[in-house]
Amino acid sequence: MTTSPSRPRRPRALARFLVAAPLLAAGALTGVPAAHAAPADDVRINEVVTTGDVNDSVELYNKGTASVDVSGWILKDDDEDHAYEIPSGTTLAPGGFRTFDVSGAFGLGSADQARLYLADGGTQVDGFSWSKHSAPSWSRCADGTGAFGQADSVTLGAANDCGTGGGSTAPATWPGGSAVATADGSNVFGEDLSGLYQDGGVLWAAQNSGKLWRLVRDGSGGWKPDTANGWSSGKTLRFPGGSGSPDSEGVTATPGGIFVASERNGDASGTSRLSVLRYDVSGSGSSLTAAREWNLTSDLPSTGSNLGLEAVTWVPDSALTGTGFKDTSTGAAYDPAHYGAHGNGVFFVGVEGTGMVYGYVLADSGTYTRIASFSSGLSGVMELQWEPQASRLWAVCDDTCDGRHQTLAVNAAGTFAVTGAYNRPSGMPNYNNEGFALSGADECVSGSKPVYWSDDANDGGHALRRGSVSC
């Protein structure tokens, strides 16, 4: 992970803020709406981000009970000459969130406004103004109805962090042994080893340089590169067609293949390319060309090119249908039959720059549908792992968060919510751990099973470490 500097923001005069439109003068932080008939009146500006690693963005929320077509509606700042037109075909489902990156149309300054208009450009639906940058988020609490305040985390595309979620959960002691040992040979991988996934006797590892490793047990509790079928030095990854170099950050395995999360093409490193790629790993060649790419860039809020998709995990449909898991694209309980052929599971991806997690049905045809979005409760997500034995999702942050881990499970509202927060094991220095993998239930001995971390910085010449967690 390399933290990108915040891009400059256009300064705003406080005097301009003080002579804001009449709708805003009534209450600077209340988002007072203009009188307008439903359902348009159900759409509210819900979150505004003006500074940090996320582009200037405005989130809308539908607090009503009917879908609203917001095609052609206009977002403005405090300048009448600045306007962002919402793309055609954009609708907001009941309880739905949509985020718009307005940085290409105008900048949001330290004293500024965000205003929402109907497509006529003159009928104002909602507005919000502020006198200092978001640091990191101006969020309405409760969603769609409450007053704006500065939240501790950016939650674009999901419910706001209103002090009751994972962001306020105090971390507990690591739920396992305190001891940590190296789990690889000296300087086998070098730097940039990132995502991990254990599949029985194989540990898959994604490296940022566009390489995938197949690791096998070394006989002493650690892992070494498989020497068969061309895996000795890892295999080079390519996008479909054999081009490019995916910045591979996360990896997971399903019955349909190995899937890698990539945040950009290394051959064009300044541009985000937030993709999930599927690979057939059965061959013996030295490189792997993706059989399918699901490019999610246009569906996700903009981040820096090195702050995008850092994690991916797969959850079987059967693990979700019995929990009341809600499909936000339909507003109803998740129904796999609604999506046709899709590998019988949902992919969850984590965004490094925001700590957000998004759930996608990736159709075999190459299309995708976002069905969930929620905050991990962490400022950044570097790894996601589904633990089927406990029906919980692990979210992991690196040294940016002092190696904090959180678990999430589906709650009564049908969304993933934080159920536990844990410090790293006391025997683990604050390494730049970007990968985390759990052993299966078959390795549970005396109530404990192995877990593994990958250190992106290769501290002390080692990239893999082994610990334990309670079963």
Side-chain angles (χ1 to χ4, degrees), residues 165-167 315 355-357 373-378 381 383-387 390-396 405-411 415-422:
V315 181
M356 289 294 297
V357 180
S373 55
F374 52 92
S375 173
S376 68
L378 298 166
V381 175
E383 180 69 279
L384 290 171
Q385 288 286 336
W386 174 248
E387 186 180 12
S391 296
R392 62 184 176 182
L393 184 67
W394 286 80
V396 182
H405 297 56
Q406 300 208 153
T407 56
L408 302 95
V410 178
N411 63 13
T415 189
F416 277 94
V418 174
T419 57
Y422 305 103

PDB file of all heavy atoms in Angstrom, residues 165-167 315 355-357 373-378 381 383-387 390-396 405-411 415-422:
ATOM      1  N   GLY A 165     -22.053   1.625  14.786  1.00  0.00           N
ATOM      2  CA  GLY A 165     -21.508   0.515  14.019  1.00  0.00           C
ATOM      3  C   GLY A 165     -20.118   0.141  14.458  1.00  0.00           C
ATOM      4  O   GLY A 165     -19.690   0.397  15.571  1.00  0.00           O
ATOM      5  N   GLY A 166     -19.380  -0.502  13.508  1.00  0.00           N
ATOM      6  CA  GLY A 166     -18.064  -1.017  13.832  1.00  0.00           C
ATOM      7  C   GLY A 166     -17.078   0.056  14.187  1.00  0.00           C
ATOM      8  O   GLY A 166     -16.108  -0.206  14.890  1.00  0.00           O
ATOM      9  N   GLY A 167     -17.266   1.294  13.696  1.00  0.00           N
ATOM     10  CA  GLY A 167     -16.297   2.323  13.980  1.00  0.00           C
ATOM     11  C   GLY A 167     -16.186   2.640  15.448  1.00  0.00           C
ATOM     12  O   GLY A 167     -15.191   3.190  15.903  1.00  0.00           O
ATOM     13  N   VAL A 315     -18.862 -16.047  -0.957  1.00  0.00           N
ATOM     14  CA  VAL A 315     -19.777 -16.647   0.015  1.00  0.00           C
ATOM     15  C   VAL A 315     -20.829 -17.441  -0.752  1.00  0.00           C
ATOM     16  O   VAL A 315     -21.533 -16.879  -1.601  1.00  0.00           O
ATOM     17  CB  VAL A 315     -20.453 -15.567   0.880  1.00  0.00           C
ATOM     18  CG1 VAL A 315     -21.382 -16.213   1.906  1.00  0.00           C
ATOM     19  CG2 VAL A 315     -19.405 -14.703   1.586  1.00  0.00           C
ATOM     20  N   GLY A 355     -12.604   1.660   3.342  1.00  0.00           N
ATOM     21  CA  GLY A 355     -13.065   0.676   4.306  1.00  0.00           C
ATOM     22  C   GLY A 355     -14.426   0.095   3.966  1.00  0.00           C
ATOM     23  O   GLY A 355     -15.007  -0.630   4.765  1.00  0.00           O
ATOM     24  N   MET A 356     -14.939   0.393   2.775  1.00  0.00           N
ATOM     25  CA  MET A 356     -16.248  -0.116   2.358  1.00  0.00           C
ATOM     26  C   MET A 356     -16.135  -1.533   1.791  1.00  0.00           C
ATOM     27  O   MET A 356     -15.117  -1.907   1.204  1.00  0.00           O
ATOM     28  CB  MET A 356     -16.872   0.802   1.319  1.00  0.00           C
ATOM     29  CG  MET A 356     -17.347   2.134   1.881  1.00  0.00           C
ATOM     30  SD  MET A 356     -18.708   1.935   3.045  1.00  0.00           S
ATOM     31  CE  MET A 356     -19.967   1.247   1.957  1.00  0.00           C
ATOM     32  N   VAL A 357     -17.227  -2.288   1.947  1.00  0.00           N
ATOM     33  CA  VAL A 357     -17.342  -3.628   1.378  1.00  0.00           C
ATOM     34  C   VAL A 357     -18.573  -3.653   0.483  1.00  0.00           C
ATOM     35  O   VAL A 357     -19.633  -3.128   0.858  1.00  0.00           O
ATOM     36  CB  VAL A 357     -17.468  -4.693   2.485  1.00  0.00           C
ATOM     37  CG1 VAL A 357     -17.598  -6.082   1.869  1.00  0.00           C
ATOM     38  CG2 VAL A 357     -16.265  -4.634   3.425  1.00  0.00           C
ATOM     39  N   SER A 373     -23.827  -3.195   0.082  1.00  0.00           N
ATOM     40  CA  SER A 373     -22.735  -2.269   0.374  1.00  0.00           C
ATOM     41  C   SER A 373     -22.824  -1.912   1.847  1.00  0.00           C
ATOM     42  O   SER A 373     -23.895  -1.581   2.342  1.00  0.00           O
ATOM     43  CB  SER A 373     -22.803  -1.018  -0.509  1.00  0.00           C
ATOM     44  OG  SER A 373     -24.058  -0.384  -0.403  1.00  0.00           O
ATOM     45  N   PHE A 374     -21.712  -1.995   2.538  1.00  0.00           N
ATOM     46  CA  PHE A 374     -21.695  -1.714   3.969  1.00  0.00           C
ATOM     47  C   PHE A 374     -20.278  -1.361   4.404  1.00  0.00           C
ATOM     48  O   PHE A 374     -19.296  -1.704   3.748  1.00  0.00           O
ATOM     49  CB  PHE A 374     -22.221  -2.903   4.777  1.00  0.00           C
ATOM     50  CG  PHE A 374     -21.569  -4.227   4.455  1.00  0.00           C
ATOM     51  CD1 PHE A 374     -20.454  -4.667   5.163  1.00  0.00           C
ATOM     52  CD2 PHE A 374     -22.074  -5.037   3.450  1.00  0.00           C
ATOM     53  CE1 PHE A 374     -19.851  -5.873   4.864  1.00  0.00           C
ATOM     54  CE2 PHE A 374     -21.480  -6.262   3.141  1.00  0.00           C
ATOM     55  CZ  PHE A 374     -20.367  -6.676   3.862  1.00  0.00           C
ATOM     56  N   SER A 375     -20.187  -0.665   5.511  1.00  0.00           N
ATOM     57  CA  SER A 375     -18.888  -0.287   6.058  1.00  0.00           C
ATOM     58  C   SER A 375     -18.306  -1.434   6.866  1.00  0.00           C
ATOM     59  O   SER A 375     -19.020  -2.112   7.607  1.00  0.00           O
ATOM     60  CB  SER A 375     -19.027   0.949   6.945  1.00  0.00           C
ATOM     61  OG  SER A 375     -17.797   1.228   7.607  1.00  0.00           O
ATOM     62  N   SER A 376     -17.019  -1.639   6.731  1.00  0.00           N
ATOM     63  CA  SER A 376     -16.335  -2.652   7.541  1.00  0.00           C
ATOM     64  C   SER A 376     -16.121  -2.169   8.964  1.00  0.00           C
ATOM     65  O   SER A 376     -15.808  -2.967   9.842  1.00  0.00           O
ATOM     66  CB  SER A 376     -14.981  -2.987   6.916  1.00  0.00           C
ATOM     67  OG  SER A 376     -14.110  -1.863   7.013  1.00  0.00           O
ATOM     68  N   GLY A 377     -16.275  -0.853   9.190  1.00  0.00           N
ATOM     69  CA  GLY A 377     -15.942  -0.269  10.479  1.00  0.00           C
ATOM     70  C   GLY A 377     -14.470   0.041  10.614  1.00  0.00           C
ATOM     71  O   GLY A 377     -14.019   0.509  11.664  1.00  0.00           O
ATOM     72  N   LEU A 378     -13.699  -0.201   9.548  1.00  0.00           N
ATOM     73  CA  LEU A 378     -12.275   0.084   9.518  1.00  0.00           C
ATOM     74  C   LEU A 378     -12.016   1.211   8.526  1.00  0.00           C
ATOM     75  O   LEU A 378     -12.786   1.409   7.591  1.00  0.00           O
ATOM     76  CB  LEU A 378     -11.486  -1.157   9.085  1.00  0.00           C
ATOM     77  CG  LEU A 378     -11.597  -2.392   9.992  1.00  0.00           C
ATOM     78  CD1 LEU A 378     -11.065  -3.618   9.256  1.00  0.00           C
ATOM     79  CD2 LEU A 378     -10.829  -2.175  11.286  1.00  0.00           C
ATOM     80  N   VAL A 381      -9.765  -1.551   4.137  1.00  0.00           N
ATOM     81  CA  VAL A 381      -9.877  -3.004   4.100  1.00  0.00           C
ATOM     82  C   VAL A 381      -8.766  -3.548   3.211  1.00  0.00           C
ATOM     83  O   VAL A 381      -8.685  -3.209   2.038  1.00  0.00           O
ATOM     84  CB  VAL A 381     -11.246  -3.469   3.561  1.00  0.00           C
ATOM     85  CG1 VAL A 381     -11.286  -4.988   3.432  1.00  0.00           C
ATOM     86  CG2 VAL A 381     -12.358  -3.003   4.470  1.00  0.00           C
ATOM     87  N   GLU A 383      -7.997  -7.102   3.481  1.00  0.00           N
ATOM     88  CA  GLU A 383      -8.305  -8.502   3.271  1.00  0.00           C
ATOM     89  C   GLU A 383      -9.727  -8.790   3.744  1.00  0.00           C
ATOM     90  O   GLU A 383     -10.206  -8.199   4.719  1.00  0.00           O
ATOM     91  CB  GLU A 383      -7.328  -9.385   4.055  1.00  0.00           C
ATOM     92  CG  GLU A 383      -7.548 -10.886   3.925  1.00  0.00           C
ATOM     93  CD  GLU A 383      -7.219 -11.436   2.547  1.00  0.00           C
ATOM     94  OE1 GLU A 383      -8.090 -11.293   1.651  1.00  0.00           O
ATOM     95  OE2 GLU A 383      -6.111 -11.999   2.372  1.00  0.00           O
ATOM     96  N   LEU A 384     -10.410  -9.690   3.042  1.00  0.00           N
ATOM     97  CA  LEU A 384     -11.702 -10.234   3.444  1.00  0.00           C
ATOM     98  C   LEU A 384     -11.613 -11.748   3.392  1.00  0.00           C
ATOM     99  O   LEU A 384     -11.048 -12.301   2.437  1.00  0.00           O
ATOM    100  CB  LEU A 384     -12.820  -9.768   2.508  1.00  0.00           C
ATOM    101  CG  LEU A 384     -13.231  -8.297   2.552  1.00  0.00           C
ATOM    102  CD1 LEU A 384     -14.198  -7.991   1.409  1.00  0.00           C
ATOM    103  CD2 LEU A 384     -13.882  -7.944   3.890  1.00  0.00           C
ATOM    104  N   GLN A 385     -12.172 -12.399   4.397  1.00  0.00           N
ATOM    105  CA  GLN A 385     -12.214 -13.859   4.405  1.00  0.00           C
ATOM    106  C   GLN A 385     -13.549 -14.317   4.974  1.00  0.00           C
ATOM    107  O   GLN A 385     -13.971 -13.856   6.034  1.00  0.00           O
ATOM    108  CB  GLN A 385     -11.082 -14.432   5.272  1.00  0.00           C
ATOM    109  CG  GLN A 385      -9.695 -14.301   4.674  1.00  0.00           C
ATOM    110  CD  GLN A 385      -9.450 -15.275   3.537  1.00  0.00           C
ATOM    111  OE1 GLN A 385     -10.079 -16.332   3.442  1.00  0.00           O
ATOM    112  NE2 GLN A 385      -8.523 -14.925   2.646  1.00  0.00           N
ATOM    113  N   TRP A 386     -14.213 -15.200   4.251  1.00  0.00           N
ATOM    114  CA  TRP A 386     -15.426 -15.819   4.752  1.00  0.00           C
ATOM    115  C   TRP A 386     -15.048 -17.080   5.519  1.00  0.00           C
ATOM    116  O   TRP A 386     -14.317 -17.934   5.000  1.00  0.00           O
ATOM    117  CB  TRP A 386     -16.364 -16.170   3.608  1.00  0.00           C
ATOM    118  CG  TRP A 386     -17.584 -16.943   4.021  1.00  0.00           C
ATOM    119  CD1 TRP A 386     -17.884 -18.244   3.709  1.00  0.00           C
ATOM    120  CD2 TRP A 386     -18.680 -16.462   4.804  1.00  0.00           C
ATOM    121  NE1 TRP A 386     -19.089 -18.606   4.258  1.00  0.00           N
ATOM    122  CE2 TRP A 386     -19.602 -17.532   4.938  1.00  0.00           C
ATOM    123  CE3 TRP A 386     -18.965 -15.240   5.413  1.00  0.00           C
ATOM    124  CZ2 TRP A 386     -20.789 -17.407   5.656  1.00  0.00           C
ATOM    125  CZ3 TRP A 386     -20.158 -15.115   6.123  1.00  0.00           C
ATOM    126  CH2 TRP A 386     -21.047 -16.185   6.237  1.00  0.00           C
ATOM    127  N   GLU A 387     -15.536 -17.192   6.760  1.00  0.00           N
ATOM    128  CA  GLU A 387     -15.279 -18.365   7.588  1.00  0.00           C
ATOM    129  C   GLU A 387     -16.577 -19.170   7.688  1.00  0.00           C
ATOM    130  O   GLU A 387     -17.459 -18.853   8.495  1.00  0.00           O
ATOM    131  CB  GLU A 387     -14.796 -17.955   8.977  1.00  0.00           C
ATOM    132  CG  GLU A 387     -14.367 -19.130   9.827  1.00  0.00           C
ATOM    133  CD  GLU A 387     -13.896 -18.713  11.209  1.00  0.00           C
ATOM    134  OE1 GLU A 387     -14.112 -17.551  11.603  1.00  0.00           O
ATOM    135  OE2 GLU A 387     -13.314 -19.573  11.898  1.00  0.00           O
ATOM    136  N   ALA A 390     -18.138 -20.584  11.097  1.00  0.00           N
ATOM    137  CA  ALA A 390     -18.722 -19.626  12.036  1.00  0.00           C
ATOM    138  C   ALA A 390     -19.714 -18.687  11.365  1.00  0.00           C
ATOM    139  O   ALA A 390     -20.272 -17.807  12.026  1.00  0.00           O
ATOM    140  CB  ALA A 390     -17.612 -18.799  12.699  1.00  0.00           C
ATOM    141  N   SER A 391     -19.934 -18.855  10.059  1.00  0.00           N
ATOM    142  CA  SER A 391     -20.843 -17.989   9.285  1.00  0.00           C
ATOM    143  C   SER A 391     -20.538 -16.514   9.518  1.00  0.00           C
ATOM    144  O   SER A 391     -21.425 -15.710   9.796  1.00  0.00           O
ATOM    145  CB  SER A 391     -22.304 -18.298   9.652  1.00  0.00           C
ATOM    146  OG  SER A 391     -22.641 -19.615   9.292  1.00  0.00           O
ATOM    147  N   ARG A 392     -19.274 -16.172   9.415  1.00  0.00           N
ATOM    148  CA  ARG A 392     -18.879 -14.783   9.630  1.00  0.00           C
ATOM    149  C   ARG A 392     -17.831 -14.351   8.605  1.00  0.00           C
ATOM    150  O   ARG A 392     -17.121 -15.172   8.028  1.00  0.00           O
ATOM    151  CB  ARG A 392     -18.341 -14.586  11.045  1.00  0.00           C
ATOM    152  CG  ARG A 392     -17.091 -15.384  11.386  1.00  0.00           C
ATOM    153  CD  ARG A 392     -16.695 -15.190  12.843  1.00  0.00           C
ATOM    154  NE  ARG A 392     -15.547 -16.014  13.205  1.00  0.00           N
ATOM    155  CZ  ARG A 392     -15.020 -16.053  14.425  1.00  0.00           C
ATOM    156  NH1 ARG A 392     -15.548 -15.307  15.398  1.00  0.00           N
ATOM    157  NH2 ARG A 392     -13.978 -16.830  14.681  1.00  0.00           N
ATOM    158  N   LEU A 393     -17.796 -13.061   8.407  1.00  0.00           N
ATOM    159  CA  LEU A 393     -16.877 -12.422   7.474  1.00  0.00           C
ATOM    160  C   LEU A 393     -15.787 -11.717   8.279  1.00  0.00           C
ATOM    161  O   LEU A 393     -16.085 -10.976   9.219  1.00  0.00           O
ATOM    162  CB  LEU A 393     -17.643 -11.412   6.618  1.00  0.00           C
ATOM    163  CG  LEU A 393     -16.895 -10.684   5.506  1.00  0.00           C
ATOM    164  CD1 LEU A 393     -16.487 -11.662   4.404  1.00  0.00           C
ATOM    165  CD2 LEU A 393     -17.771  -9.572   4.930  1.00  0.00           C
ATOM    166  N   TRP A 394     -14.535 -11.965   7.912  1.00  0.00           N
ATOM    167  CA  TRP A 394     -13.411 -11.274   8.542  1.00  0.00           C
ATOM    168  C   TRP A 394     -12.968 -10.115   7.645  1.00  0.00           C
ATOM    169  O   TRP A 394     -12.795 -10.298   6.437  1.00  0.00           O
ATOM    170  CB  TRP A 394     -12.226 -12.218   8.735  1.00  0.00           C
ATOM    171  CG  TRP A 394     -12.378 -13.221   9.832  1.00  0.00           C
ATOM    172  CD1 TRP A 394     -13.070 -14.393   9.786  1.00  0.00           C
ATOM    173  CD2 TRP A 394     -11.793 -13.150  11.138  1.00  0.00           C
ATOM    174  NE1 TRP A 394     -12.961 -15.058  10.985  1.00  0.00           N
ATOM    175  CE2 TRP A 394     -12.188 -14.325  11.840  1.00  0.00           C
ATOM    176  CE3 TRP A 394     -10.992 -12.211  11.787  1.00  0.00           C
ATOM    177  CZ2 TRP A 394     -11.803 -14.578  13.149  1.00  0.00           C
ATOM    178  CZ3 TRP A 394     -10.604 -12.473  13.096  1.00  0.00           C
ATOM    179  CH2 TRP A 394     -11.015 -13.633  13.770  1.00  0.00           C
ATOM    180  N   ALA A 395     -12.789  -8.943   8.234  1.00  0.00           N
ATOM    181  CA  ALA A 395     -12.214  -7.790   7.535  1.00  0.00           C
ATOM    182  C   ALA A 395     -10.927  -7.423   8.257  1.00  0.00           C
ATOM    183  O   ALA A 395     -10.889  -7.370   9.497  1.00  0.00           O
ATOM    184  CB  ALA A 395     -13.180  -6.609   7.550  1.00  0.00           C
ATOM    185  N   VAL A 396      -9.863  -7.182   7.495  1.00  0.00           N
ATOM    186  CA  VAL A 396      -8.537  -6.981   8.071  1.00  0.00           C
ATOM    187  C   VAL A 396      -7.938  -5.682   7.555  1.00  0.00           C
ATOM    188  O   VAL A 396      -8.020  -5.384   6.363  1.00  0.00           O
ATOM    189  CB  VAL A 396      -7.610  -8.166   7.717  1.00  0.00           C
ATOM    190  CG1 VAL A 396      -6.245  -7.989   8.361  1.00  0.00           C
ATOM    191  CG2 VAL A 396      -8.241  -9.482   8.153  1.00  0.00           C
ATOM    192  N   HIS A 405      -8.446  -6.434  13.249  1.00  0.00           N
ATOM    193  CA  HIS A 405      -9.328  -7.359  12.557  1.00  0.00           C
ATOM    194  C   HIS A 405     -10.749  -7.158  13.075  1.00  0.00           C
ATOM    195  O   HIS A 405     -10.952  -6.864  14.254  1.00  0.00           O
ATOM    196  CB  HIS A 405      -8.935  -8.817  12.830  1.00  0.00           C
ATOM    197  CG  HIS A 405      -7.575  -9.195  12.351  1.00  0.00           C
ATOM    198  ND1 HIS A 405      -6.419  -8.532  12.725  1.00  0.00           N
ATOM    199  CD2 HIS A 405      -7.164 -10.225  11.538  1.00  0.00           C
ATOM    200  CE1 HIS A 405      -5.376  -9.112  12.155  1.00  0.00           C
ATOM    201  NE2 HIS A 405      -5.798 -10.143  11.436  1.00  0.00           N
ATOM    202  N   GLN A 406     -11.727  -7.342  12.199  1.00  0.00           N
ATOM    203  CA  GLN A 406     -13.123  -7.289  12.631  1.00  0.00           C
ATOM    204  C   GLN A 406     -13.899  -8.430  11.993  1.00  0.00           C
ATOM    205  O   GLN A 406     -13.600  -8.852  10.883  1.00  0.00           O
ATOM    206  CB  GLN A 406     -13.751  -5.931  12.285  1.00  0.00           C
ATOM    207  CG  GLN A 406     -13.028  -4.777  12.940  1.00  0.00           C
ATOM    208  CD  GLN A 406     -13.892  -3.564  13.215  1.00  0.00           C
ATOM    209  OE1 GLN A 406     -13.596  -2.830  14.133  1.00  0.00           O
ATOM    210  NE2 GLN A 406     -14.940  -3.332  12.461  1.00  0.00           N
ATOM    211  N   THR A 407     -14.892  -8.916  12.725  1.00  0.00           N
ATOM    212  CA  THR A 407     -15.794  -9.929  12.188  1.00  0.00           C
ATOM    213  C   THR A 407     -17.164  -9.303  11.991  1.00  0.00           C
ATOM    214  O   THR A 407     -17.576  -8.416  12.743  1.00  0.00           O
ATOM    215  CB  THR A 407     -15.899 -11.139  13.130  1.00  0.00           C
ATOM    216  OG1 THR A 407     -16.310 -10.697  14.434  1.00  0.00           O
ATOM    217  CG2 THR A 407     -14.564 -11.853  13.232  1.00  0.00           C
ATOM    218  N   LEU A 408     -17.862  -9.766  10.950  1.00  0.00           N
ATOM    219  CA  LEU A 408     -19.187  -9.258  10.625  1.00  0.00           C
ATOM    220  C   LEU A 408     -20.104 -10.441  10.312  1.00  0.00           C
ATOM    221  O   LEU A 408     -19.659 -11.470   9.798  1.00  0.00           O
ATOM    222  CB  LEU A 408     -19.147  -8.320   9.420  1.00  0.00           C
ATOM    223  CG  LEU A 408     -18.237  -7.092   9.513  1.00  0.00           C
ATOM    224  CD1 LEU A 408     -16.868  -7.381   8.880  1.00  0.00           C
ATOM    225  CD2 LEU A 408     -18.859  -5.876   8.821  1.00  0.00           C
ATOM    226  N   ALA A 409     -21.373 -10.293  10.634  1.00  0.00           N
ATOM    227  CA  ALA A 409     -22.373 -11.310  10.325  1.00  0.00           C
ATOM    228  C   ALA A 409     -23.669 -10.622   9.942  1.00  0.00           C
ATOM    229  O   ALA A 409     -23.874  -9.429  10.240  1.00  0.00           O
ATOM    230  CB  ALA A 409     -22.581 -12.240  11.521  1.00  0.00           C
ATOM    231  N   VAL A 410     -24.553 -11.348   9.275  1.00  0.00           N
ATOM    232  CA  VAL A 410     -25.825 -10.786   8.847  1.00  0.00           C
ATOM    233  C   VAL A 410     -26.719 -10.555  10.074  1.00  0.00           C
ATOM    234  O   VAL A 410     -26.924 -11.458  10.884  1.00  0.00           O
ATOM    235  CB  VAL A 410     -26.532 -11.714   7.846  1.00  0.00           C
ATOM    236  CG1 VAL A 410     -27.882 -11.140   7.436  1.00  0.00           C
ATOM    237  CG2 VAL A 410     -25.652 -11.926   6.611  1.00  0.00           C
ATOM    238  N   ASN A 411     -27.230  -9.330  10.204  1.00  0.00           N
ATOM    239  CA  ASN A 411     -28.058  -8.978  11.355  1.00  0.00           C
ATOM    240  C   ASN A 411     -29.543  -9.076  11.014  1.00  0.00           C
ATOM    241  O   ASN A 411     -29.929  -9.530   9.930  1.00  0.00           O
ATOM    242  CB  ASN A 411     -27.703  -7.586  11.875  1.00  0.00           C
ATOM    243  CG  ASN A 411     -27.979  -6.480  10.859  1.00  0.00           C
ATOM    244  OD1 ASN A 411     -28.654  -6.699   9.844  1.00  0.00           O
ATOM    245  ND2 ASN A 411     -27.461  -5.287  11.121  1.00  0.00           N
ATOM    246  N   THR A 415     -28.360  -7.127   6.747  1.00  0.00           N
ATOM    247  CA  THR A 415     -27.081  -6.633   6.237  1.00  0.00           C
ATOM    248  C   THR A 415     -25.963  -7.084   7.152  1.00  0.00           C
ATOM    249  O   THR A 415     -26.187  -7.451   8.315  1.00  0.00           O
ATOM    250  CB  THR A 415     -27.074  -5.102   6.125  1.00  0.00           C
ATOM    251  OG1 THR A 415     -25.888  -4.677   5.431  1.00  0.00           O
ATOM    252  CG2 THR A 415     -27.093  -4.450   7.507  1.00  0.00           C
ATOM    253  N   PHE A 416     -24.740  -7.074   6.640  1.00  0.00           N
ATOM    254  CA  PHE A 416     -23.593  -7.425   7.469  1.00  0.00           C
ATOM    255  C   PHE A 416     -23.297  -6.296   8.447  1.00  0.00           C
ATOM    256  O   PHE A 416     -23.245  -5.128   8.064  1.00  0.00           O
ATOM    257  CB  PHE A 416     -22.368  -7.702   6.600  1.00  0.00           C
ATOM    258  CG  PHE A 416     -22.322  -9.096   6.045  1.00  0.00           C
ATOM    259  CD1 PHE A 416     -22.825  -9.374   4.787  1.00  0.00           C
ATOM    260  CD2 PHE A 416     -21.787 -10.133   6.804  1.00  0.00           C
ATOM    261  CE1 PHE A 416     -22.783 -10.667   4.274  1.00  0.00           C
ATOM    262  CE2 PHE A 416     -21.743 -11.430   6.300  1.00  0.00           C
ATOM    263  CZ  PHE A 416     -22.242 -11.694   5.037  1.00  0.00           C
ATOM    264  N   ALA A 417     -23.102  -6.646   9.712  1.00  0.00           N
ATOM    265  CA  ALA A 417     -22.772  -5.687  10.756  1.00  0.00           C
ATOM    266  C   ALA A 417     -21.660  -6.271  11.613  1.00  0.00           C
ATOM    267  O   ALA A 417     -21.500  -7.495  11.719  1.00  0.00           O
ATOM    268  CB  ALA A 417     -23.997  -5.373  11.613  1.00  0.00           C
ATOM    269  N   VAL A 418     -20.891  -5.398  12.241  1.00  0.00           N
ATOM    270  CA  VAL A 418     -19.744  -5.819  13.041  1.00  0.00           C
ATOM    271  C   VAL A 418     -20.199  -6.595  14.271  1.00  0.00           C
ATOM    272  O   VAL A 418     -21.085  -6.165  15.007  1.00  0.00           O
ATOM    273  CB  VAL A 418     -18.901  -4.601  13.459  1.00  0.00           C
ATOM    274  CG1 VAL A 418     -17.777  -5.017  14.411  1.00  0.00           C
ATOM    275  CG2 VAL A 418     -18.314  -3.907  12.233  1.00  0.00           C
ATOM    276  N   THR A 419     -19.586  -7.759  14.475  1.00  0.00           N
ATOM    277  CA  THR A 419     -19.877  -8.573  15.657  1.00  0.00           C
ATOM    278  C   THR A 419     -18.692  -8.661  16.608  1.00  0.00           C
ATOM    279  O   THR A 419     -18.855  -9.076  17.763  1.00  0.00           O
ATOM    280  CB  THR A 419     -20.274  -9.994  15.241  1.00  0.00           C
ATOM    281  OG1 THR A 419     -19.224 -10.573  14.439  1.00  0.00           O
ATOM    282  CG2 THR A 419     -21.568  -9.983  14.437  1.00  0.00           C
ATOM    283  N   GLY A 420     -17.503  -8.308  16.135  1.00  0.00           N
ATOM    284  CA  GLY A 420     -16.331  -8.343  17.000  1.00  0.00           C
ATOM    285  C   GLY A 420     -15.195  -7.548  16.402  1.00  0.00           C
ATOM    286  O   GLY A 420     -15.091  -7.412  15.177  1.00  0.00           O
ATOM    287  N   ALA A 421     -14.357  -6.981  17.259  1.00  0.00           N
ATOM    288  CA  ALA A 421     -13.179  -6.240  16.825  1.00  0.00           C
ATOM    289  C   ALA A 421     -11.997  -6.705  17.667  1.00  0.00           C
ATOM    290  O   ALA A 421     -12.121  -6.845  18.893  1.00  0.00           O
ATOM    291  CB  ALA A 421     -13.382  -4.734  17.001  1.00  0.00           C
ATOM    292  N   TYR A 422     -10.855  -6.962  17.007  1.00  0.00           N
ATOM    293  CA  TYR A 422      -9.744  -7.592  17.704  1.00  0.00           C
ATOM    294  C   TYR A 422      -8.415  -6.923  17.339  1.00  0.00           C
ATOM    295  O   TYR A 422      -8.166  -6.592  16.175  1.00  0.00           O
ATOM    296  CB  TYR A 422      -9.664  -9.076  17.329  1.00  0.00           C
ATOM    297  CG  TYR A 422     -10.950  -9.815  17.582  1.00  0.00           C
ATOM    298  CD1 TYR A 422     -11.803 -10.130  16.514  1.00  0.00           C
ATOM    299  CD2 TYR A 422     -11.336 -10.176  18.862  1.00  0.00           C
ATOM    300  CE1 TYR A 422     -12.996 -10.810  16.732  1.00  0.00           C
ATOM    301  CE2 TYR A 422     -12.530 -10.841  19.093  1.00  0.00           C
ATOM    302  CZ  TYR A 422     -13.351 -11.161  18.032  1.00  0.00           C
ATOM    303  OH  TYR A 422     -14.532 -11.806  18.249  1.00  0.00           O
TER     304      TYR A 422
END
